[in-house]
Amino acid sequence: MFNQTQLYAIDNVIHTNLIESGLDHVIFMDMAGNTIAKHDNGKSHLDSTAFAALAAGNFAAVDAMAKLVGESEFSLLFHRGEKSSIHFSKVNDETILITMFNKDISLGLVRLKVTETIKKINTILAND
C-alpha cells in the first residue's frame, strides 16, 4: 500500500513531469484497474474509472500474448490514433502508468518523460 506522503510525492511527480510537459491525461493504477493517481490538463472528459478497468484488461491480455511468443513480458504498449495516442508503461510488478497525449506531442518526448517519471516513482516507493 501507499502512505499519504508517497501519494503526495507521486502526484507531484506526475503533474510536474507529465502534465506540465503538455500531456492530456495521466493515470497511475494497479494491475487490477484501481486508480491510484490521476491528472489531466483540465480539458479532458475521460471516464478514468472505466478507462483504468479496460486498460488493466488490455495489459493482462498483452501480457498473456507475450508469454505465448516466449517473452516474459511486454512492459510498454503504445496505441496511436488520428487525434490522440495512449502510452502504457509498467512501473513495477504491481502498477502501470498510462499517458494520453495529442498529435502535437512527440512519442520521443513522451517516452523520455515517462522513463524519468517511472524512475522517480520507484524511488518514492522504495523510500517508505
Side-chain angles (χ1 to χ4, degrees), residues 42-89:
K43 301 173 188 170
S44 177
H45 301 291
L46 178 72
D47 179 350
S48 58
T49 303
F51 191 91
L54 291 167
N58 184 35
F59 212 86
V62 170
D63 192 51
M65 287 188 280
K67 306 279 188 288
L68 287 173
V69 299
E71 292 288 336
S72 61
E73 69 179 6
F74 292 134
S75 60
L76 180 141
L77 304 172
F78 175 67
H79 301 290
R80 179 179 297 279
E82 187 176 313
K83 298 175 188 171
S84 298
S85 296
I86 305 168
H87 184 274
F88 300 76
S89 281

Side-chain angles (χ1 to χ4, degrees), residues 13 91 113-125:
V13 166
V91 175
K113 292 296 188 174
V114 165
T115 299
E116 291 172 1
T117 302
I118 288 172
K119 286 179 185 175
K120 289 179 180 182
I121 289 172
N122 281 320
T123 300
I124 291 164
L125 296 178

